[in-house]
Amino acid sequence: PKPDTYGAQPPIELLRQFQDFGGLYDREKLFWKEIQDVILAAACAPPGGGRNPVTPRFIRHFAMFS
């Protein structure tokens, strides 16, 4: 996703919030939704050609294989 003015990528920040805190905040009903028993697997390609770098705050939750 394209970074916003502050360099954050909102969809990735939602995934990071889930990784850090185990859930998401529902802004419509104004309560915390805890998410359990989920495995998150991801694949990334190098930045370039329309791809943007993924933030280190999100990458730190994954093991790297190359």
Side-chain angles (χ1 to χ4, degrees), residues 11-58:
I12 291 178
E13 290 302 315
L14 283 173
L15 291 171
R16 186 192 59 79
Q17 181 180 13
F18 161 68
Q19 293 280 147
D20 284 342
F21 302 110
L24 303 168
Y25 187 73
D26 186 337
R27 292 179 11 166
E28 283 184 17
K29 298 179 183 175
L30 303 177
F31 73 97
W32 181 254
K33 291 184 176 185
E34 189 169 323
I35 301 173
Q36 298 178 349
D37 299 325
V38 174
I39 296 174
L40 186 61
C44 296
R51 292 183 301 270
N52 295 307
V54 180
T55 62
R57 293 172 62 190
F58 182 62

